[in-house]
Amino acid sequence: MFLTLSMLAVQGGVEADQVAGSFEPFFPALVVLLPLLGFVLNGLLALSHAKRSAAAVRAGGELQLDGPGGRPSTHTLPTWIGPGVMLGAFAITVVNFVRMLGAHLEHPVVISYWHWISTSTFTVDAALQLDQLSMIMMMIITGVGFLIHVFSVGYMKDDTGYPRYFAYLNLFVFFMLVLVMGASYPLMFVGWEGVGLCSYLLIGYWFSDREKADAGKKAFIVNRIGDVGFLIAMFLLFATFGTLDFLDIFAGAEDALVYGGGAVTAIALFFLVGAAGKSAQIPLYIWLPDAMAGPTPVSALIHAATMVTAGVYLVARSSVIFALSPVGSAAVAGVGVLTALFAATIALTQNDIKKVLAYSTVSQLGYMFLGVGVGAYAAGVFHLMTRAFFKALLFLGSGAVIHSMHEALHHTHSHADAQDMRNMGGLKKYLPITWITMWIATLAIAGIWPFAGFFSKDEIIWQTAAFGGAANAPYPFLYTIYWILALAAAMLTAFYMTRLMVMTFHGSNRTGEEERKYLHKAPAVMWIPLAVLAVLSIFGGWINVPEAIRTSFLGLGGALPMSEWLHHWLEPLTAQAHHIQEVHLGELAHSAPVGGGEVAWAVASTLAALAVVIATVVLVGGREVETADKDAAPTGFGKVLYNKWYVDEAYDAVVVRPLGKASRFSWRVIDQGIIDGMVNAVGYLARGFGWFGSLFQTGSVNTYAFVLSLGVLFTLASFLF
Amino acid sequence: MITEGLILSAILFVIGTFGVLIRRNAIIMFLCIELQLNAVNVAFVALSRSVGIDGQIFVFFVMTVAAAEAAVGLAIIISIFRHYETVNVDNFNLLKW
Amino acid sequence: MFATVLFYLFAGVAIGGALGVVLAKSPVASLLMMVVSLGSVAGTFVLMEAHFLAAVQVIVYAGAIMVLFMFVIMLLNLGHDYEQDVKMGAFAVVSFAVVGVMAGMLATRFGGLEGDGPAAGAIAIDAALAEHGAVGAIGQTLFTDYVVPFEITGILLLVAIVGALALAKRNVA
């Protein structure tokens, strides 16, 4: 099958349905297939590695370290295969991207390879869709993915499961690309489930640790709940349209669905359930913080940059459906803004560096939901893109810190927590590049001008205000609340990120005398990806500067290039949704609910964020932090936040325990008692009948003959009388 | 003479049946079965007085089958006897269960 | 009249012989009683104008088959366990009752079957006997209307011979 796929890929997809403009796809299938090839090769290496390890253990010895760098030879090839296939995929994506830039593509290009499902009433093709949205996603996935693969080479170099790690990582990229390139909901669902699987595999990568394996299971199970929503939404779509291809559905949506009707609202809300599961939104966000059990580059790739944005992609892709459902959109925005604020409050008091980043991720995903929920699909995707840069950077930076800390603690056999910020402090001296790049990312996420996050986050907040103030906005008051909450969450973001930076890199060093000697800089293979991402975090926001800001002093009086470039780029895809919005809502507002224009609020928010950053540096930096073993447990409200609002405990009490009890009841009473009882009763009945029947089997021929005679007698009697 | 023949046939048949029921010697039981077959032959011959020569033809066939049956049946009894050293059917209770 | 008396005589001997078969203590005696019974039945056959069958009955049945039985009884040296051989007591009484009722039923059913004057079959048989003789009468039908069953009977006998050989052979190769 793989051969067939490769051949199809080489043909470059000859059955292009419609090639608009002069856009010629450049072997798009290869983008998908290269990571798959990487998975197959690395997977085979992983199997051979596992076999060798097992043989070594059986022989009672150690694995032979016959490769370069004092590592097993099975670790050599994945170093090149893993990032190599990603580089190839990225290069092909760039070629396609450049071609699409020059083509002014009006309609998505769908390349169908074969009929995947074919029944009399329902057909799904294995088809890839190339358009502006999938292209942006492909750029992010392959580009950021490549950098993270490179970083992993350094981060995972001494791990025993090295080939397995790259196999999983390649497989993840494959499924993620299927998710964003699939031309129909079922194909998207394949990618959707596939990335869930890889997420599970990678969270539980160190599966011998019970806690980490459990975290993987938690992620998998919580995601399943969301998937049910996705599936039901697909069923509803099929019931309405009879097809699940994107183009057919969106083309017929306005005819088949009534604006604000029950069907479209149900579809939108079920899609929201699915998206909330994958993108870690309230109430299904609980798996993401636990997912930090995986290796840090995995957290960067899957649980920050790509997979968790699948929900946002889903909503952006289904923009027509959400535009037709004001209730669905309001729910998306509400879930998003609540999650943004809620997760931000939890992040305030966490001490684990990755936990802070995890809750920050949840919070930022909330922003994206808010964006796509208020019809600003371009803004949502914009934030998705910029955040992929600075969030990956933050995670990789924390990875570099943890890597360094871990080795230092390992040298001294200390059992202190390598991820606890209370054990860090003053690391800027030891990890200078990491320090600088992470500050850039922090400023970006805090929304400080002119970093990437400023433009994307500000855009979302502004669009919320503009949407709520539209002439016929459905729930203007609700959107005003959203707007205020979003602003509040932005301030919290600035605080907790600065707190993280200060606790990690500033102040006095708390690692201990002996450990300090072993703290080391990130190697080149790790700091170069950091530097690339830092550059992107600075300039990435400039591709979508709102026109009003570009022409003001914030845009240096028009000196910033590319006014609303992303917005225009996505225009062919969002035009339909925007048209629906315009018809039903009227013109969007040009001022915030409490007055003030876009530029004024942009200035205000960046100044406020800057003030928070400075205040935090002063306040947190001026306070002496105790190491983890000496630090007093937080009290009062801080304790509630530290314990994450006791949400896990609440879920445990409300869902997990009752479910466990119900399962036990089903097992003991219903299954073992009633069902097994019935089955056993049938068995006993048969046995009883058998015993009764066996009484007639005397084995005596005479008796048999006698009974036979009786039979003859009765037959005769029936003839005669 | 038809009625008399049939009644003779009936009497011979029930005597044969009775023999099969009360005897346990396999060979005697076998003889009684031959008796039953013979009773049937009488019935055929008697009825041939009513329907014509075909009744007698059937008797011919019954006799042939009886001869074949006797040969095989006796062979079976001989093999059983070799194994059990007896032809008393009470000892052959493998049909049980 | 004479034929009727003769028929009753033969019938009585046949029934007595049959009872002897069932009740005789010795298997050899049973067998001899069986020969008596079969011979008497052959007599009734003659009276019912089945001359050929009467001859076959005596030659094949009372002769060949019974000799075969005799050989087996002698071969197995039977006849010393009459007490275990006969099931007496309640079972015999019940069995007797069953066969008695059966006989009663059959007898009732057969009463009044015969109409007045000679039956149609008897007339046809008389004609055939007059034309072809005793053997020819039955051969005429056997080799025309019943030739296929007749041939199959030959195969049956062959199979029986092979089967008997296979079963009774001491060491099956």
Side-chain angles (χ1 to χ4, degrees), chain A residues 490-513:
Chain A
M491 297 306 112
L492 293 178
T493 309
F495 171 75
Y496 66 69
M497 283 313 300
T498 313
R499 172 174 170 273
L500 180 145
M501 291 305 294
V502 172
M503 281 180 80
T504 307
F505 289 103
H506 295 264
S508 55
N509 183 274
R510 299 181 290 275
T511 47
E513 286 298 325

Side-chain angles (χ1 to χ4, degrees), chain C residues 51-74:
Chain C
H51 309 296
F52 177 70
L53 287 182
V56 173
Q57 174 94 345
V58 172
I59 297 165
V60 176
Y61 233 136
I65 298 178
M66 287 307 118
V67 168
L68 186 63
F69 273 84
M70 185 62 84
F71 273 150
V72 173
I73 290 169
M74 297 296 191

